[in-house]
Amino acid sequence: MHEFESHEIIDGDDTKGMILLADHAMNRLPACYGSLGLDASAFQRHIAYDIGIEGLTRQLASRLGVPAVLSCFSRLLIDPNRGEDDPTLIMKISDGAIIPGNYPISDEEWQHRLNRFHRPYHHAVDQAISKVAAKAGKAPLVLSLHSYTPAWKGTPRPWHAAVLWDTDHRAVHPLIALLRETGDILVGDNEPYDGALRNDTMYRHCMVRGIPHALLEVRQDLIGNDSGIAAWADRLAPIFETLNARPDLHEYMVFASRTGPYPSEP
């Protein structure tokens, strides 16, 4: 067993047909990388991980009794929510922070990070989704959890939460409706980001395979402490249960991607 694991799997009842994913759950690095030449404070910023998402994912997995897969390495090392051909897979600069440990980088080191961290994480996600599908006897509902900064380059982001997606609307539309139902939060629809990203986690594990899914982002200032995490777990748990109870969210159906044609072999 490696000293540093690429991922963590939280066990749950696979027969429920739901699985949670957290691509950017942690800000950790193996000791051999030091701090990638960055000040320690960089690892408390959004450039290193999705603030609040580890705690939120753990609480939701526990309350719902469903499995989850969490990445254990910082996105500064390599970003698990990017395709292997994405130029932002290993960032040289992120939100003004130059990352000395990522530039220059040899082809051998690039491949090492893929083989040691990125690919094992995605293999674990693939295996976990397949296990839920087999145990439940139907398409699983996959919900991916992320967080974003309350402002970007000085511009406030008013949305309390946002749902990102490509073209598979099946889980997205009811999720947005349920989030908006209480009337106390502003919910973004493909804001502040567009959810169509070729070869990202939702593309490679859900879009290509026709699996119902949604990516939910929560603003980081709302889940930056234990009370905020608990409040959002309270808000989201019944919504996720309602979604999971819908038969139409457990059917395989492939939707064309806005990013272009799918590869002949995913």
Side-chain angles (χ1 to χ4, degrees):
M1 180 179 289
H2 291 292
E3 283 185 20
F4 187 100
E5 294 299 322
S6 65
H7 61 276
E8 178 184 344
I9 296 175
I10 297 174
D11 291 328
D13 185 350
D14 296 320
T15 66
K16 290 187 175 183
M18 182 195 293
I19 184 167
L20 307 178
L21 304 180
D23 293 330
H24 301 139
M26 304 184 195
N27 59 358
R28 299 168 56 229
L29 292 175
C32 62
Y33 287 98
S35 63
L36 292 173
L38 292 165
D39 187 84
S41 63
F43 290 86
Q44 304 308 311
R45 297 179 58 201
H46 71 97
I47 62 172
Y49 72 126
D50 279 355
I51 295 166
I53 286 302
E54 178 183 358
L56 183 60
T57 303
R58 291 188 187 280
Q59 286 206 25
L60 285 169
S62 177
R63 294 187 191 201
L64 296 167
V66 300
V69 184
L70 294 77
S71 165
C72 293
F73 54 91
S74 171
R75 68 197 305 175
L76 290 171
L77 186 67
I78 187 168
D79 193 332
N81 196 34
R82 295 293 184 271
E84 293 189 12
D85 59 347
D86 192 312
T88 66
L89 181 66
I90 298 176
M91 296 288 284
K92 301 177 180 67
I93 183 169
S94 182
D95 194 15
I98 297 171
I99 308 160
N102 290 349
Y103 184 79
I105 184 170
S106 67
D107 290 341
E108 290 78 10
E109 175 60 22
W110 190 286
Q111 288 301 314
H112 173 72
R113 295 190 196 182
L114 279 170
N115 289 328
R116 178 66 181 82
F117 305 103
H118 193 276
R119 288 170 181 159
Y121 171 71
H122 282 287
H123 178 72
V125 170
D126 181 66
Q127 293 294 103
I129 290 175
S130 296
K131 182 183 175 189
V132 170
K135 292 290 185 68
K138 57 189 177 183
L141 173 61
V142 179
L143 297 171
S144 181
L145 299 171
H146 291 256
S147 67
Y148 59 91
T149 57
W152 181 252
K153 297 187 184 302
T155 302
R157 289 168 163 169
W159 311 279
H160 300 86
V163 182
L164 311 187
W165 57 296
D166 190 339
T167 58
D168 186 348
H169 62 274
R170 291 174 294 168
V172 169
H173 288 170
L175 175 55
I176 291 174
L178 288 165
L179 287 166
R180 289 174 174 170
E181 199 170 71
T182 57
D184 62 336
I185 60 171
L186 183 62
V187 181
D189 181 349
N190 266 337
E191 296 175 294
Y193 312 113
D194 188 335
L197 182 61
R198 192 170 186 84
N199 293 325
D200 71 352
T201 300
M202 293 293 90
Y203 178 98
R204 67 186 291 176
H205 295 290
C206 297
M207 286 292 292
V208 171
R209 299 165 66 179
I211 293 174
H213 62 281
L215 190 155
L216 176 66
E217 297 253 10
V218 181
R219 209 173 65 201
Q220 289 170 358
D221 59 315
L222 303 177
I223 54 172
N225 54 40
D226 291 343
S227 61
I229 290 170
W232 274 85
D234 286 342
R235 182 188 294 271
L236 294 174
I239 290 175
F240 286 6
E241 284 186 323
T242 299
L243 291 175
N244 199 46
R246 294 178 55 132
D248 60 322
L249 297 187
H250 293 286
E251 299 174 356
Y252 292 96
M253 185 181 300
V254 176
F255 289 72
S257 172
R258 288 187 281 120
T259 68
Y262 292 120
S264 56
E265 294 184 2

